[in-house]
Amino acid sequence: MPEEDLVDIKFRLYDGSDIGPFRYSSAATVDVLKQRIVSDWPKGKTVIPKAANELKLISSGKILENNKTVGQCKVPLGDIGGGVLIMHVVVQPSLAKTKAEKKIDDSPRKVICSCSIL
């Protein structure tokens, strides 16, 4: 595979720590990246994704779609050789789980507030 078809990507987590960098083909999809993040998620984090669909990847201020390739997502930085592309990772637990937890905790005396820190 030609060297220009490979992209080095580092994933920045909610707490400022990183996963990677890893080298991917320009043809790799965002879904493949998300699966790698789930499998390599650091132990001991307070927020842990259970599946790739709980992750959002952000690059250059845009949420990346699962069916897009790395080549389609990267900003035209062709003039900057050897750079590492940083993608931000946001974990959003599935809605079904959130609704189930809310029902269990629902009572007239409790107030439940969900907050996300990005």
Side-chain angles (χ1 to χ4, degrees), residues 90-105:
V90 176
V91 180
Q92 289 186 316
S94 67
L95 230 53
K97 178 183 171 192
T98 305
K99 285 182 180 179
E101 287 175 356
K102 191 173 184 179
K103 278 185 179 180
I104 291 169
D105 291 337

Side-chain angles (χ1 to χ4, degrees), residues 73-116:
C73 296
K74 73 177 192 176
V75 178
L77 296 174
D79 298 336
I80 304 173
V84 176
L85 179 63
I86 297 176
M87 293 185 178
H88 294 268
V89 180
V90 176
V91 180
Q92 289 186 316
S94 67
L95 230 53
K97 178 183 171 192
T98 305
K99 285 182 180 179
E101 287 175 356
K102 191 173 184 179
K103 278 185 179 180
I104 291 169
D105 291 337
D106 214 7
S107 72
R109 293 174 287 173
K110 289 184 181 178
V111 176
I112 298 178
C113 177
S114 301
C115 300
S116 298

Side-chain angles (χ1 to χ4, degrees), residues 12-87:
R12 178 83 24 100
L13 305 181
Y14 63 92
D15 62 356
S17 62
D18 294 327
I19 298 176
F22 301 111
R23 186 164 281 189
Y24 291 97
S25 161
S26 295
T29 63
V30 170
D31 189 55
V32 168
L33 303 181
K34 289 180 177 183
Q35 291 174 21
R36 175 75 182 262
I37 293 167
V38 170
S39 68
D40 288 357
W41 194 263
K43 305 291 183 233
K45 297 286 184 193
T46 55
V47 177
I48 301 170
K50 302 212 179 353
N53 66 346
E54 293 184 354
L55 297 177
K56 300 283 185 218
L57 286 182
I58 301 171
S59 181
S60 301
K62 294 182 181 180
I63 297 175
L64 306 179
E65 298 174 30
N66 287 344
N67 61 344
K68 297 287 184 183
T69 65
V70 170
Q72 292 171 320
C73 296
K74 73 177 192 176
V75 178
L77 296 174
D79 298 336
I80 304 173
V84 176
L85 179 63
I86 297 176
M87 293 185 178

